[in-house]
Amino acid sequence: MAAVGTMAAMGPLPTMGALPPLPTLGVPGVPELKPLTRYEAMRLGPGWSHSCHAMLYAPNPGMLFGRIPLRYAVLMQMRFDGLLGFPGGFVDRRYWSLEDGLNRVLGLGLGCVRLTEADYLCSHLTEGPHRVVAHFYARQLTLEELHTIEISAVHSRDHGMEVMGMVRVPLYTQKDRMGGLPNFLANSFVGTAKFQLLFALKILNMVPEEKLAEAVAATQRPKKTALDHAGGAGGHLSSHKAGNELAKGGNELGERGEHHGMVHAGAELVGLEGHALADAEALEQSGLGADVEQAEME
């Protein structure tokens, strides 16, 4: 990974001729951001702002439910505004280098990690009216080191204020094609955080590009399954209610019946009650089977 940062940091050197084009995300449904080298970013004028954020991750040999490989633990954080993002923030280039400014912010939110230029991954120009260059860093740790940072973050100055807590990104996709990474990507992200997450997962070969594309595509499909489940639940309740109402009507007519006709009518209603309850029970059984099948994971 340090080699990626070193290559991007070199920038376009006139004596070496044209360098290969910088990598792009290339995932359908995710707008591309314009990449530039660190060298190009540092040559931008004073009218540009610089943001620096970092992805901390570690190989994770764990298996979810004993059969779903976790592969990596990737840290993000829930911000004060309810958006997901990476640790970091804006760096005032008048007083700080990129890394010094980033480490200053990380110290407030995490407390025990320092990054260097070797951890630099990429820079992109952001969209919108503000002239911002988004720099991104990535550091691979051991799982034990990552867990130590998670614990330290709870005791940092920003915890419970600007940072609500750290979260791990699920990199797997469950059998229903929504559980795991697709559902995570359906959340709201701040600024370039979602793009940077997908870009890092691709460039660092943490998730195959086709799996990223499938996860993004899943978040853009209409959520018909949830509506169908809601309708099914409503149907179960309606069946129970209809059965109870018919039973009540049959009992009342039976108690008040003073002649054979009314008693007969009550018996017919009780018969209808039995059919309604049987139908409701069948619906419950079929719905339960669907719910169990939906809950099974890959």
Side-chain angles (χ1 to χ4, degrees):
M1 185 198 64
V4 176
T6 302
M7 180 188 70
M10 290 172 58
L13 301 179
T15 58
M16 297 178 61
L19 292 176
L22 294 174
T24 57
L25 179 56
V27 172
V30 181
E32 287 284 353
L33 297 181
K34 178 178 174 56
L36 69 167
T37 66
R38 180 190 176 97
Y39 177 81
E40 291 171 331
M42 294 299 95
R43 295 188 63 184
L44 293 175
W48 288 84
S49 299
H50 296 260
S51 68
C52 295
H53 294 83
M55 184 181 83
L56 305 176
Y57 67 101
N60 188 350
M63 301 284 285
L64 179 63
F65 305 124
R67 60 183 182 274
I68 302 177
L70 298 178
R71 296 159 51 194
Y72 290 93
V74 177
L75 289 189
M76 294 190 74
Q77 56 186 202
M78 177 62 69
R79 294 160 37 98
F80 64 94
D81 51 11
L83 301 177
L84 290 167
F86 287 103
F90 281 93
V91 174
D92 192 335
R93 290 280 295 129
R94 296 174 299 173
Y95 308 110
W96 308 93
S97 69
L98 293 180
E99 289 74 34
D100 287 341
L102 173 60
N103 286 324
R104 178 175 177 272
V105 179
L106 293 181
L108 299 177
L110 300 180
C112 60
V113 61
R114 289 189 61 84
L115 302 185
T116 69
E117 187 174 334
D119 300 309
Y120 171 85
L121 187 63
C122 60
S123 296
H124 290 88
L125 297 180
T126 64
E127 298 178 339
H130 304 292
R131 307 176 77 187
V132 178
V133 185
H135 305 281
F136 198 53
Y137 294 73
R139 165 77 67 85
Q140 179 173 320
L141 306 168
T142 67
L143 195 57
E144 293 74 16
E145 291 171 333
L146 197 76
H147 186 54
T148 299
I149 289 175
E150 289 175 310
I151 296 174
S152 175
V154 175
H155 303 286
S156 68
R157 193 198 74 172
D158 285 347
H159 181 74
M161 300 294 289
E162 295 186 22
V163 179
M164 297 294 103
M166 307 300 297
V167 297
R168 293 191 183 188
V169 182
L171 300 185
Y172 49 83
T173 299
Q174 295 174 226
K175 188 170 66 174
D176 63 359
R177 298 185 181 181
M178 280 302 299
L181 183 58
N183 273 337
F184 187 84
L185 294 177
N187 286 301
S188 297
F189 294 77
V190 64
T192 59
K194 183 176 180 178
F195 177 91
Q196 290 171 328
L197 171 63
L198 295 170
F199 185 85
L201 294 179
K202 172 187 174 180
I203 295 301
L204 299 177
N205 297 316
M206 298 171 68
V207 177
E209 184 175 350
E210 61 272 16
K211 294 297 183 181
L212 292 178
E214 291 173 4
V216 171
T219 66
Q220 299 170 346
R221 289 196 293 265
K223 296 184 178 180
K224 295 181 180 179
T225 303
L227 294 176
D228 291 343
H229 283 187
H236 298 166
L237 293 175
S238 298
S239 298
H240 280 296
K241 184 177 180 180
N244 291 335
E245 288 178 351
L246 286 171
K248 181 179 179 181
N251 291 334
E252 288 179 353
L253 285 176
E255 292 174 358
R256 294 183 306 174
E258 296 180 359
H259 54 80
H260 176 74
M262 294 184 67
V263 172
H264 181 67
E268 287 182 343
L269 285 172
V270 171
L272 289 174
E273 167 206 353
H275 288 296
L277 290 177
D279 292 340
E281 182 178 359
L283 283 172
E284 275 190 342
Q285 291 176 351
S286 62
L288 178 60
D291 292 342
V292 170
E293 181 181 355
Q294 180 70 17
E296 287 183 353
M297 287 173 293
E298 187 174 324

